[in-house]
Coordinates of all heavy atoms in Angstrom, one line a residue:
M1 N -22.9 -22.1 11.8 CA -22.5 -21.0 12.8 C -22.2 -19.8 12.0 O -21.3 -19.7 11.2 CB -21.4 -21.5 13.6 CG -20.9 -20.5 14.6 SD -21.9 -20.3 16.1 CE -21.7 -21.8 16.9
K2 N -22.9 -18.7 12.3 CA -22.7 -17.4 11.6 C -21.6 -16.6 12.2 O -21.0 -15.7 11.6 CB -24.0 -16.6 11.6 CG -25.0 -17.2 10.6 CD -26.3 -16.3 10.8 CE -27.3 -16.8 9.8 NZ -28.5 -16.0 9.9
L3 N -21.3 -16.9 13.5 CA -20.4 -16.0 14.3 C -18.9 -16.5 14.1 O -18.7 -17.7 13.8 CB -20.8 -16.0 15.7 CG -22.1 -15.4 16.1 CD1 -22.5 -15.8 17.4 CD2 -22.0 -13.9 15.9
K4 N -18.0 -15.6 14.3 CA -16.6 -16.0 14.1 C -15.9 -15.5 15.3 O -16.2 -14.6 16.0 CB -16.0 -15.3 13.0 CG -16.3 -15.9 11.6 CD -15.6 -15.1 10.5 CE -15.9 -15.5 9.1 NZ -15.4 -14.6 8.1
K5 N -14.7 -16.2 15.5 CA -13.8 -15.7 16.6 C -13.4 -14.3 16.4 O -13.1 -13.9 15.2 CB -12.6 -16.7 16.6 CG -11.6 -16.5 17.7 CD -10.4 -17.4 17.5 CE -9.4 -17.0 18.5 NZ -8.2 -17.8 18.3
G6 N -13.4 -13.5 17.4 CA -13.0 -12.1 17.3 C -14.2 -11.2 17.1 O -14.0 -10.0 17.1
D7 N -15.4 -11.7 16.8 CA -16.5 -10.8 16.6 C -16.9 -10.2 17.8 O -16.9 -10.7 18.9 CB -17.7 -11.7 16.1 CG -17.8 -12.0 14.7 OD1 -16.9 -11.4 13.9 OD2 -18.5 -12.9 14.3
L8 N -17.3 -8.9 17.7 CA -17.8 -8.2 18.9 C -19.3 -8.5 19.0 O -20.1 -8.3 18.0 CB -17.6 -6.7 18.7 CG -18.0 -5.8 19.9 CD1 -17.2 -6.1 21.2 CD2 -18.0 -4.4 19.6
V9 N -19.7 -9.0 20.1 CA -21.1 -9.3 20.3 C -21.7 -8.7 21.5 O -21.0 -8.3 22.5 CB -21.3 -10.9 20.4 CG1 -21.0 -11.6 19.1 CG2 -20.5 -11.5 21.6
K10 N -23.0 -8.6 21.6 CA -23.8 -8.1 22.7 C -24.6 -9.3 23.3 O -25.2 -10.0 22.5 CB -24.7 -6.9 22.3 CG -25.4 -6.3 23.4 CD -26.3 -5.2 22.9 CE -27.0 -4.5 24.0 NZ -27.9 -3.4 23.6
V11 N -24.5 -9.5 24.6 CA -25.3 -10.5 25.2 C -26.8 -10.0 25.3 O -27.0 -9.0 25.8 CB -24.7 -10.8 26.6 CG1 -25.5 -12.0 27.2 CG2 -23.3 -11.2 26.5
I12 N -27.7 -10.8 24.8 CA -29.1 -10.4 24.8 C -29.9 -11.2 25.7 O -31.1 -10.9 25.9 CB -29.7 -10.5 23.3 CG1 -29.4 -11.8 22.6 CG2 -29.1 -9.3 22.5 CD1 -30.1 -12.0 21.3
L13 N -29.4 -12.3 26.2 CA -30.1 -13.2 27.1 C -29.2 -13.7 28.3 O -28.0 -13.9 28.0 CB -30.7 -14.4 26.4 CG -32.1 -14.3 25.9 CD1 -32.4 -15.6 25.0 CD2 -33.1 -14.2 27.0
G14 N -29.7 -13.9 29.4 CA -28.9 -14.5 30.5 C -28.4 -13.5 31.5 O -28.8 -12.3 31.5
K15 N -27.5 -14.0 32.4 CA -27.2 -13.2 33.5 C -26.2 -12.0 33.1 O -26.2 -11.0 33.9 CB -26.5 -14.0 34.6 CG -25.1 -14.5 34.3 CD -24.6 -15.4 35.5 CE -23.1 -15.7 35.3 NZ -22.2 -14.8 35.9
D16 N -25.6 -12.0 32.0 CA -24.7 -10.9 31.6 C -25.4 -10.1 30.5 O -24.7 -9.4 29.7 CB -23.4 -11.4 31.2 CG -22.6 -11.9 32.3 OD1 -22.5 -11.2 33.3 OD2 -22.0 -13.0 32.2
K17 N -26.7 -10.1 30.4 CA -27.4 -9.4 29.4 C -27.0 -7.9 29.3 O -26.8 -7.3 30.4 CB -28.9 -9.5 29.8 CG -29.8 -9.0 28.7 CD -31.3 -9.2 29.2 CE -32.2 -8.4 28.3 NZ -33.6 -8.6 28.7
G18 N -26.7 -7.5 28.1 CA -26.3 -6.1 28.0 C -24.8 -5.9 27.8 O -24.3 -4.9 27.3
K19 N -24.0 -6.9 28.2 CA -22.6 -6.7 28.1 C -22.1 -6.9 26.7 O -22.7 -7.7 25.9 CB -21.9 -7.9 28.9 CG -21.5 -7.5 30.3 CD -20.6 -8.6 30.8 CE -20.3 -8.4 32.3 NZ -19.5 -9.4 32.9
Q20 N -21.0 -6.2 26.4 CA -20.5 -6.3 25.0 C -19.0 -6.9 25.2 O -18.2 -6.4 26.0 CB -20.4 -5.0 24.3 CG -21.8 -4.5 23.9 CD -21.7 -3.3 23.1 OE1 -20.6 -2.9 22.6 NE2 -22.9 -2.6 22.9
A21 N -18.7 -7.8 24.4 CA -17.4 -8.4 24.4 C -17.0 -9.2 23.1 O -17.9 -9.4 22.3 CB -17.2 -9.3 25.6
K22 N -15.8 -9.6 23.0 CA -15.4 -10.3 21.9 C -15.4 -11.8 22.0 O -15.3 -12.3 23.1 CB -14.0 -9.9 21.5 CG -13.9 -8.6 20.7 CD -12.6 -8.4 20.2 CE -12.7 -7.2 19.2 NZ -11.3 -6.8 18.8
I23 N -15.8 -12.4 21.0 CA -15.8 -14.0 21.0 C -14.4 -14.5 21.0 O -13.6 -14.1 20.2 CB -16.6 -14.5 19.8 CG1 -18.0 -14.1 19.8 CG2 -16.4 -16.0 19.7 CD1 -18.9 -14.7 18.7
E24 N -14.2 -15.4 22.0 CA -12.9 -15.9 22.2 C -12.8 -17.3 21.5 O -11.7 -17.6 21.0 CB -12.7 -16.1 23.8 CG -11.3 -15.9 24.2 CD -11.3 -15.9 25.7 OE1 -11.7 -14.9 26.4 OE2 -11.0 -16.9 26.4
K25 N -13.8 -18.0 21.5 CA -13.8 -19.3 21.0 C -15.2 -19.7 20.4 O -16.2 -19.3 21.0 CB -13.4 -20.3 22.0 CG -12.7 -21.5 21.5 CD -12.3 -22.3 22.8 CE -11.8 -23.7 22.4 NZ -11.5 -24.5 23.6
I26 N -15.2 -20.4 19.3 CA -16.5 -20.9 18.7 C -16.5 -22.4 19.0 O -15.6 -23.1 18.8 CB -16.5 -20.6 17.2 CG1 -16.4 -19.2 16.9 CG2 -17.8 -21.3 16.6 CD1 -17.7 -18.4 17.1
L27 N -17.7 -22.9 19.5 CA -17.9 -24.3 19.7 C -19.0 -24.8 18.8 O -20.1 -24.8 19.2 CB -18.1 -24.6 21.2 CG -17.1 -24.1 22.2 CD1 -17.7 -23.6 23.4 CD2 -16.1 -25.2 22.4
P28 N -18.7 -25.0 17.5 CA -19.8 -25.3 16.6 C -20.6 -26.5 16.8 O -21.8 -26.6 16.5 CB -19.0 -25.4 15.2 CG -17.6 -25.4 15.5 CD -17.4 -25.1 16.9
K29 N -20.0 -27.5 17.5 CA -20.6 -28.8 17.7 C -21.9 -28.6 18.6 O -22.9 -29.2 18.4 CB -19.7 -29.8 18.4 CG -19.0 -30.6 17.4 CD -18.1 -31.7 18.1 CE -17.1 -32.2 17.2 NZ -16.0 -33.0 17.9
N30 N -21.7 -27.8 19.6 CA -22.9 -27.6 20.4 C -23.6 -26.2 20.3 O -24.3 -25.8 21.1 CB -22.7 -27.9 21.9 CG -21.2 -27.6 22.4 OD1 -20.6 -26.7 21.8 ND2 -20.7 -28.2 23.4
G31 N -23.1 -25.5 19.3 CA -23.8 -24.2 19.0 C -23.5 -23.1 20.1 O -24.3 -22.3 20.3
K32 N -22.3 -23.2 20.7 CA -22.0 -22.3 21.7 C -20.8 -21.4 21.4 O -20.0 -21.8 20.6 CB -21.8 -23.1 23.0 CG -23.1 -23.6 23.6 CD -22.9 -24.3 24.9 CE -24.2 -24.6 25.5 NZ -24.1 -25.1 26.9
V33 N -20.7 -20.3 22.1 CA -19.6 -19.4 21.9 C -19.0 -19.1 23.3 O -19.8 -19.0 24.3 CB -20.0 -18.1 21.2 CG1 -20.3 -18.4 19.8 CG2 -21.1 -17.4 21.8
L34 N -17.8 -18.8 23.4 CA -17.1 -18.4 24.6 C -16.8 -17.0 24.4 O -16.0 -16.6 23.5 CB -15.8 -19.3 24.8 CG -15.2 -19.2 26.2 CD1 -16.1 -19.9 27.2 CD2 -13.8 -19.8 26.2
V35 N -17.4 -16.2 25.2 CA -17.2 -14.7 25.1 C -16.4 -14.2 26.3 O -16.7 -14.5 27.4 CB -18.5 -14.0 25.0 CG1 -18.4 -12.5 24.8 CG2 -19.4 -14.6 23.9
T36 N -15.4 -13.4 26.0 CA -14.4 -12.9 27.0 C -15.2 -12.2 28.1 O -15.9 -11.3 27.9 CB -13.4 -11.9 26.4 OG1 -12.9 -12.5 25.2 CG2 -12.3 -11.5 27.3
G37 N -15.0 -12.7 29.4 CA -15.6 -12.0 30.5 C -17.1 -12.1 30.7 O -17.7 -11.6 31.6
V38 N -17.7 -13.0 29.9 CA -19.1 -13.2 30.0 C -19.4 -14.6 30.4 O -18.7 -15.5 30.0 CB -19.8 -12.9 28.6 CG1 -21.2 -13.3 28.6 CG2 -19.7 -11.5 28.2
N39 N -20.5 -14.7 31.3 CA -20.9 -16.0 31.8 C -19.8 -16.6 32.7 O -19.5 -17.8 32.6 CB -21.3 -17.0 30.7 CG -22.4 -17.9 31.1 OD1 -23.2 -17.6 31.9 ND2 -22.4 -19.0 30.4
Q40 N -19.3 -15.8 33.6 CA -18.2 -16.3 34.5 C -18.8 -16.8 35.8 O -19.8 -16.2 36.3 CB -17.2 -15.1 34.8 CG -16.4 -14.8 33.5 CD -15.2 -13.8 33.9 OE1 -15.5 -12.9 34.7 NE2 -14.1 -14.0 33.3
Y41 N -18.2 -17.8 36.2 CA -18.5 -18.4 37.5 C -17.3 -18.5 38.4 O -16.2 -18.8 37.9 CB -19.2 -19.7 37.3 CG -20.5 -19.7 36.6 CD1 -20.6 -19.7 35.2 CD2 -21.7 -19.6 37.4 CE1 -21.9 -19.5 34.6 CE2 -22.9 -19.5 36.8 CZ -23.0 -19.5 35.4 OH -24.3 -19.3 34.8
K42 N -17.6 -18.4 39.6 CA -16.4 -18.6 40.6 C -16.6 -20.1 41.1 O -17.6 -20.5 41.4 CB -16.5 -17.6 41.7 CG -16.1 -16.3 41.3 CD -15.6 -15.5 42.5 CE -15.5 -14.0 42.2 NZ -14.8 -13.7 41.0
R43 N -15.4 -20.7 41.1 CA -15.4 -22.1 41.6 C -14.4 -22.2 42.7 O -13.3 -21.7 42.5 CB -15.1 -23.0 40.4 CG -15.1 -24.5 40.8 CD -14.8 -25.4 39.7 NE -16.0 -25.6 38.9 CZ -15.9 -26.3 37.7 NH1 -14.8 -26.7 37.2 NH2 -17.0 -26.5 37.0
H44 N -14.9 -22.8 43.7 CA -14.0 -22.9 44.9 C -13.2 -24.3 44.8 O -13.8 -25.3 44.7 CB -14.8 -22.9 46.2 CG -14.0 -22.6 47.4 ND1 -13.8 -21.4 47.9 CD2 -13.3 -23.4 48.2 CE1 -13.1 -21.4 49.0 NE2 -12.7 -22.7 49.2
L45 N -11.9 -24.2 44.6 CA -11.1 -25.3 44.6 C -10.6 -25.7 45.9 O -9.9 -24.9 46.5 CB -9.9 -25.1 43.6 CG -10.2 -25.1 42.1 CD1 -8.9 -25.0 41.3 CD2 -11.0 -26.4 41.6
K46 N -10.9 -26.9 46.4 CA -10.4 -27.3 47.7 C -9.1 -27.9 47.5 O -8.7 -28.5 46.5 CB -11.4 -28.4 48.2 CG -12.6 -27.8 48.9 CD -13.3 -28.8 49.7 CE -14.5 -28.2 50.4 NZ -15.4 -29.2 51.0
A47 N -8.3 -27.7 48.6 CA -6.9 -28.2 48.6 C -6.9 -29.7 48.5 O -7.7 -30.3 49.2 CB -6.2 -27.8 49.8
R48 N -6.2 -30.3 47.6 CA -6.2 -31.7 47.5 C -5.1 -32.4 48.4 O -5.3 -33.4 49.0 CB -5.9 -32.1 46.0 CG -7.2 -32.0 45.2 CD -7.0 -32.5 43.8 NE -7.7 -31.7 42.9 CZ -7.1 -31.0 41.9 NH1 -5.8 -31.1 41.8 NH2 -7.8 -30.2 41.1
A49 N -4.0 -31.7 48.5 CA -2.9 -32.2 49.3 C -2.8 -31.4 50.6 O -3.2 -30.2 50.6 CB -1.7 -32.3 48.5
Q50 N -2.2 -31.9 51.5 CA -2.0 -31.2 52.8 C -0.9 -30.1 52.5 O 0.1 -30.3 51.8 CB -1.4 -32.2 53.8 CG -2.2 -32.0 55.2 CD -1.7 -32.9 56.3 OE1 -0.7 -33.6 56.1 NE2 -2.3 -32.8 57.4
G51 N -1.2 -29.0 53.1 CA -0.2 -27.9 52.9 C -0.6 -27.0 51.7 O -0.1 -25.9 51.6
Q52 N -1.5 -27.6 50.9 CA -1.9 -26.8 49.6 C -3.0 -25.9 50.1 O -3.9 -26.3 50.9 CB -2.3 -27.7 48.6 CG -2.2 -27.3 47.2 CD -2.7 -28.3 46.2 OE1 -3.5 -29.1 46.5 NE2 -2.1 -28.3 45.1
S53 N -3.1 -24.7 49.6 CA -4.2 -23.9 50.0 C -5.3 -24.0 49.0 O -5.1 -24.2 47.8 CB -3.7 -22.4 50.2 OG -3.2 -21.9 49.0
S54 N -6.6 -23.8 49.5 CA -7.7 -23.9 48.6 C -7.8 -22.5 47.9 O -7.4 -21.5 48.4 CB -9.0 -24.2 49.3 OG -9.2 -23.3 50.3
E55 N -8.3 -22.5 46.7 CA -8.4 -21.2 46.0 C -9.7 -21.0 45.3 O -10.4 -22.1 45.0 CB -7.2 -20.9 45.1 CG -7.0 -22.1 44.2 CD -5.8 -21.9 43.3 OE1 -5.4 -20.7 43.0 OE2 -5.2 -22.9 42.8
I56 N -10.1 -19.8 44.9 CA -11.3 -19.6 44.1 C -10.8 -19.2 42.8 O -10.0 -18.3 42.6 CB -12.1 -18.5 44.8 CG1 -12.7 -19.0 46.2 CG2 -13.3 -18.1 43.9 CD1 -13.2 -17.8 47.0
V57 N -11.3 -19.9 41.8 CA -10.9 -19.6 40.4 C -12.1 -19.2 39.7 O -13.2 -19.6 40.0 CB -10.2 -20.8 39.7 CG1 -8.9 -21.1 40.3 CG2 -11.1 -22.0 39.7
T58 N -11.9 -18.3 38.7 CA -13.0 -17.8 37.9 C -13.0 -18.5 36.6 O -11.9 -18.6 35.9 CB -12.9 -16.4 37.6 OG1 -12.8 -15.7 38.9 CG2 -14.1 -15.8 36.9
I59 N -14.1 -19.2 36.3 CA -14.1 -19.9 34.9 C -15.2 -19.3 34.0 O -16.2 -18.8 34.5 CB -14.4 -21.4 35.2 CG1 -15.7 -21.6 36.0 CG2 -13.2 -22.2 35.7 CD1 -16.3 -23.1 35.8
T60 N -14.9 -19.3 32.8 CA -15.8 -18.7 31.8 C -16.5 -19.9 31.1 O -15.8 -20.8 30.6 CB -15.1 -17.8 30.8 OG1 -14.3 -16.9 31.5 CG2 -16.0 -17.1 29.9
K61 N -17.8 -19.9 31.2 CA -18.5 -21.0 30.5 C -19.1 -20.5 29.2 O -19.5 -19.4 29.1 CB -19.7 -21.4 31.4 CG -19.3 -22.2 32.6 CD -20.6 -22.7 33.3 CE -20.2 -23.5 34.6 NZ -21.4 -23.8 35.3
P62 N -19.1 -21.4 28.2 CA -19.6 -21.0 26.9 C -21.1 -20.8 27.0 O -21.8 -21.4 27.9 CB -19.3 -22.1 26.0 CG -18.8 -23.3 26.8 CD -18.5 -22.8 28.2
L63 N -21.6 -19.9 26.2 CA -23.1 -19.7 26.2 C -23.6 -19.9 24.8 O -22.9 -19.9 23.8 CB -23.5 -18.3 26.8 CG -23.1 -17.0 26.1 CD1 -24.0 -16.0 26.6 CD2 -21.7 -16.7 26.3
S64 N -24.9 -20.2 24.6 CA -25.5 -20.4 23.4 C -25.4 -19.3 22.4 O -25.5 -18.1 22.8 CB -27.0 -20.8 23.6 OG -27.7 -20.7 22.4
S65 N -25.1 -19.5 21.2 CA -24.9 -18.5 20.2 C -26.3 -17.7 20.0 O -26.2 -16.6 19.5 CB -24.4 -19.0 18.9 OG -25.3 -20.0 18.3
Q66 N -27.3 -18.3 20.5 CA -28.6 -17.7 20.4 C -28.7 -16.5 21.4 O -29.6 -15.7 21.3 CB -29.7 -18.7 20.7 CG -29.7 -20.0 20.0 CD -30.1 -19.8 18.5 OE1 -31.1 -19.0 18.2 NE2 -29.3 -20.4 17.6
N67 N -27.9 -16.6 22.4 CA -28.0 -15.6 23.5 C -27.1 -14.3 23.2 O -27.1 -13.4 24.0 CB -27.4 -16.2 24.8 CG -28.4 -17.2 25.3 OD1 -29.3 -17.6 24.6 ND2 -28.2 -17.7 26.5
V68 N -26.4 -14.3 22.1 CA -25.6 -13.1 21.7 C -26.0 -12.6 20.3 O -26.6 -13.4 19.5 CB -24.1 -13.4 21.7 CG1 -23.7 -13.9 23.0 CG2 -23.8 -14.5 20.7
A69 N -25.8 -11.3 20.2 CA -26.1 -10.7 18.9 C -24.9 -9.9 18.4 O -24.2 -9.4 19.2 CB -27.2 -9.7 19.0
L70 N -24.6 -10.0 17.1 CA -23.4 -9.4 16.6 C -23.6 -7.8 16.6 O -24.6 -7.3 16.3 CB -23.2 -9.9 15.2 CG -21.9 -9.3 14.5 CD1 -20.7 -10.3 15.0 CD2 -22.0 -9.3 13.0
I71 N -22.5 -7.2 16.9 CA -22.4 -5.8 16.8 C -21.6 -5.5 15.5 O -20.5 -5.9 15.4 CB -21.6 -5.1 18.0 CG1 -22.2 -5.5 19.4 CG2 -21.5 -3.6 17.8 CD1 -23.5 -4.8 19.7
C72 N -22.3 -4.8 14.6 CA -21.6 -4.5 13.3 C -20.4 -3.6 13.5 O -20.5 -2.6 14.2 CB -22.6 -3.9 12.4 SG -21.8 -3.3 10.9
P73 N -19.2 -4.0 13.0 CA -18.0 -3.1 13.2 C -18.1 -1.8 12.4 O -17.4 -0.8 12.7 CB -16.9 -3.9 12.7 CG -17.5 -5.0 11.9 CD -18.9 -5.2 12.4
H74 N -19.1 -1.7 11.5 CA -19.2 -0.5 10.6 C -20.3 0.4 11.2 O -20.0 1.6 11.4 CB -19.6 -0.9 9.2 CG -18.7 -1.9 8.6 ND1 -17.4 -1.5 8.2 CD2 -18.8 -3.2 8.3 CE1 -16.8 -2.6 7.7 NE2 -17.6 -3.6 7.8
C75 N -21.4 -0.1 11.5 CA -22.5 0.8 12.0 C -22.7 0.8 13.5 O -23.5 1.5 14.1 CB -23.8 0.6 11.2 SG -24.4 -1.0 11.2
K76 N -21.9 -0.1 14.1 CA -21.8 -0.1 15.6 C -23.2 -0.4 16.3 O -23.3 -0.1 17.5 CB -21.2 1.2 16.2 CG -20.0 1.7 15.5 CD -18.8 1.0 16.0 CE -17.6 1.6 15.3 NZ -16.5 0.7 15.1
V77 N -24.1 -1.0 15.7 CA -25.3 -1.4 16.3 C -25.5 -2.9 16.2 O -24.9 -3.6 15.4 CB -26.6 -0.7 15.6 CG1 -26.5 0.8 15.8 CG2 -26.7 -1.0 14.2
Q78 N -26.4 -3.3 17.1 CA -26.7 -4.8 17.1 C -27.4 -5.1 15.8 O -28.4 -4.4 15.4 CB -27.7 -4.9 18.3 CG -28.1 -6.4 18.5 CD -29.1 -6.4 19.7 OE1 -29.0 -5.7 20.6 NE2 -30.0 -7.3 19.6
T79 N -26.9 -6.1 15.2 CA -27.5 -6.4 13.8 C -27.6 -7.9 13.6 O -27.2 -8.7 14.4 CB -26.6 -5.8 12.7 OG1 -27.3 -6.0 11.5 CG2 -25.3 -6.5 12.6
R80 N -28.2 -8.2 12.5 CA -28.3 -9.7 12.1 C -27.3 -9.9 10.9 O -27.0 -8.9 10.2 CB -29.7 -10.0 11.7 CG -30.6 -10.1 12.9 CD -32.0 -10.4 12.5 NE -32.2 -11.7 11.9 CZ -33.2 -12.0 11.2 NH1 -34.2 -11.2 10.9 NH2 -33.3 -13.3 10.7
I81 N -26.9 -11.1 10.7 CA -25.9 -11.4 9.7 C -26.6 -11.9 8.5 O -27.5 -12.8 8.6 CB -24.8 -12.4 10.2 CG1 -24.1 -11.9 11.5 CG2 -23.9 -12.8 9.1 CD1 -23.3 -12.9 12.2
G82 N -26.2 -11.4 7.4 CA -26.7 -11.8 6.1 C -25.6 -12.4 5.3 O -24.4 -12.3 5.6
F83 N -25.9 -13.2 4.2 CA -24.8 -13.7 3.4 C -25.0 -13.2 2.0 O -26.1 -13.0 1.5 CB -24.9 -15.2 3.5 CG -24.3 -15.7 4.8 CD1 -25.2 -16.2 5.7 CD2 -23.0 -15.8 5.0 CE1 -24.7 -16.7 6.9 CE2 -22.5 -16.3 6.2 CZ -23.4 -16.7 7.2
K84 N -23.9 -13.1 1.3 CA -23.8 -12.7 -0.1 C -22.8 -13.5 -0.8 O -21.8 -14.0 -0.1 CB -23.4 -11.3 -0.2 CG -24.5 -10.3 -0.4 CD -23.9 -8.9 -0.7 CE -24.9 -7.8 -0.7 NZ -24.3 -6.5 -0.8
I85 N -22.9 -13.7 -2.0 CA -21.9 -14.4 -2.8 C -21.1 -13.3 -3.6 O -21.7 -12.6 -4.3 CB -22.5 -15.5 -3.8 CG1 -23.4 -16.5 -3.0 CG2 -21.4 -16.2 -4.6 CD1 -22.7 -17.5 -2.1
E86 N -19.9 -13.3 -3.4 CA -19.1 -12.4 -4.0 C -17.8 -13.1 -4.6 O -17.1 -13.7 -3.8 CB -18.6 -11.3 -3.1 CG -18.1 -10.0 -3.8 CD -17.7 -9.0 -2.7 OE1 -16.8 -9.0 -2.0 OE2 -18.5 -8.0 -2.6
K87 N -17.6 -13.0 -5.9 CA -16.5 -13.8 -6.6 C -16.4 -15.2 -6.1 O -15.4 -15.7 -5.7 CB -15.2 -13.0 -6.3 CG -15.1 -11.6 -6.9 CD -13.7 -11.0 -6.6 CE -13.8 -9.5 -7.0 NZ -13.9 -8.7 -5.8
N88 N -17.6 -15.9 -6.1 CA -17.6 -17.3 -5.7 C -17.4 -17.5 -4.2 O -17.2 -18.6 -3.8 CB -16.7 -18.2 -6.5 CG -17.2 -18.2 -7.9 OD1 -18.3 -18.2 -8.2 ND2 -16.2 -18.2 -8.9
D89 N -17.2 -16.4 -3.5 CA -17.0 -16.5 -2.0 C -18.3 -16.1 -1.3 O -19.0 -15.2 -1.6 CB -15.9 -15.7 -1.6 CG -14.6 -16.5 -1.5 OD1 -14.6 -17.7 -1.4 OD2 -13.5 -15.8 -1.5
K90 N -18.6 -16.9 -0.3 CA -19.7 -16.6 0.6 C -19.2 -15.6 1.6 O -18.3 -15.9 2.4 CB -20.3 -17.8 1.3 CG -21.7 -17.7 1.7 CD -22.1 -19.1 2.3 CE -23.5 -19.0 2.9 NZ -23.8 -20.3 3.5
I91 N -19.8 -14.4 1.6 CA -19.3 -13.4 2.6 C -20.4 -13.0 3.6 O -21.6 -13.1 3.2 CB -18.7 -12.2 1.9 CG1 -19.7 -11.5 1.0 CG2 -17.4 -12.5 1.2 CD1 -19.4 -10.0 0.7
R92 N -20.0 -12.6 4.7 CA -21.0 -12.1 5.7 C -21.2 -10.7 5.5 O -20.3 -9.9 5.4 CB -20.5 -12.4 7.1 CG -20.3 -13.9 7.4 CD -20.0 -14.1 8.9 NE -19.0 -13.1 9.4 CZ -18.8 -12.9 10.7 NH1 -19.4 -13.6 11.6 NH2 -17.9 -12.1 11.1
V93 N -22.5 -10.2 5.6 CA -22.8 -8.8 5.5 C -23.7 -8.4 6.6 O -24.5 -9.2 7.1 CB -23.4 -8.4 4.1 CG1 -22.4 -8.5 3.0 CG2 -24.7 -9.2 3.8
C94 N -23.6 -7.1 7.0 CA -24.5 -6.6 8.0 C -25.9 -6.3 7.3 O -25.9 -5.8 6.2 CB -23.9 -5.3 8.5 SG -25.0 -4.3 9.5
R95 N -26.9 -6.7 7.9 CA -28.2 -6.5 7.3 C -28.7 -5.1 7.4 O -29.6 -4.6 6.6 CB -29.3 -7.4 8.1 CG -29.1 -8.9 7.9 CD -30.4 -9.4 7.1 NE -30.2 -10.8 6.8 CZ -30.9 -11.8 7.3 NH1 -31.9 -11.5 8.2 NH2 -30.7 -13.0 7.0
K96 N -28.0 -4.3 8.2 CA -28.4 -2.9 8.4 C -27.7 -2.0 7.4 O -28.3 -1.2 6.7 CB -28.1 -2.4 9.8 CG -29.1 -3.1 10.7 CD -29.6 -2.2 11.9 CE -30.7 -2.8 12.6 NZ -30.4 -3.3 13.9
C97 N -26.3 -2.1 7.3 CA -25.6 -1.2 6.4 C -25.1 -1.9 5.2 O -24.5 -1.3 4.3 CB -24.4 -0.6 7.2 SG -23.1 -1.7 7.7
D98 N -25.3 -3.2 5.1 CA -24.9 -4.0 3.9 C -23.5 -4.1 3.7 O -23.0 -4.4 2.6 CB -25.6 -3.4 2.7 CG -26.1 -4.5 1.7 OD1 -26.4 -5.6 2.2 OD2 -26.1 -4.3 0.5
K99 N -22.6 -3.8 4.7 CA -21.2 -3.8 4.4 C -20.7 -5.2 4.9 O -21.3 -5.9 5.7 CB -20.5 -2.8 5.3 CG -20.5 -1.4 4.7 CD -19.7 -0.4 5.4 CE -19.8 1.0 4.9 NZ -19.5 2.0 5.8
K100 N -19.5 -5.6 4.3 CA -19.0 -6.9 4.7 C -18.4 -6.9 6.1 O -17.9 -5.9 6.5 CB -17.8 -7.1 3.6 CG -17.2 -8.4 3.7 CD -16.1 -8.5 2.7 CE -15.3 -9.8 2.9 NZ -14.2 -10.0 2.0
I101 N -18.7 -8.0 6.7 CA -18.2 -8.1 8.1 C -17.1 -9.1 8.2 O -17.2 -10.2 7.6 CB -19.4 -8.6 9.1 CG1 -20.5 -7.7 9.0 CG2 -18.9 -8.7 10.5 CD1 -21.8 -8.2 9.7
Ligands
ZN201 ZN1 -23.6 -2.4 9.8

């Protein structure tokens, strides 16, 4: 998984295509990411007990990491992530401006 929590991404596929938001959570096991305010669905919760009112809740579903592209914090454009080894550390770099992400 190349993406990290807190990364600013742009949705490139799906119903929220074009939206930009931050990654809230990474789900590496299934290659998905949870992006704030993206891929939201409304779910109607029926009252389970008498006297309880039913309500509509908004849930955010994770989406495939393939459906989002990173926005470079330096050059502010949609980019791809590259890797470099610096002082024995693997660092992420922007393929466009070559700066560390
Ligand atoms: Zn860049």
Side-chain angles (χ1 to χ4, degrees):
M1 180 74 69
K2 289 175 173 182
L3 297 162
K4 282 184 187 169
K5 187 183 167 183
D7 277 348
L8 182 68
V9 291
K10 185 179 179 182
V11 182
I12 49 170
L13 268 173
K15 73 181 188 90
D16 287 315
K17 191 176 167 182
K19 263 195 190 176
Q20 286 184 20
K22 280 192 172 173
I23 293 182
E24 214 171 282
K25 205 176 176 185
I26 301 280
L27 303 144
K29 271 187 197 164
N30 35 22
K32 288 185 170 184
V33 290
L34 194 72
V35 186
T36 312
V38 170
N39 214 24
Q40 287 188 322
Y41 291 88
K42 287 207 191 312
R43 185 179 276 172
H44 198 92
L45 285 185
K46 277 193 178 167
R48 281 185 219 118
Q50 229 182 3
Q52 205 180 31
S53 59
S54 60
E55 52 181 334
I56 294 164
V57 292
T58 304
I59 52 161
T60 306
K61 286 187 183 174
L63 65 162
S64 169
S65 63
Q66 308 289 317
N67 292 9
V68 298
L70 186 83
I71 303 285
C72 171
H74 306 290
C75 56
K76 315 279 182 210
V77 294
Q78 183 182 326
T79 188
R80 289 177 67 196
I81 300 166
F83 285 102
K84 262 188 186 176
I85 303 291
E86 195 177 77
K87 297 181 190 103
N88 294 323
D89 263 339
K90 200 174 173 188
I91 58 159
R92 299 188 312 167
V93 291
C94 167
R95 289 246 176 114
K96 293 216 168 107
C97 66
D98 218 31
K99 280 185 184 162
K100 188 178 169 181
I101 304 170

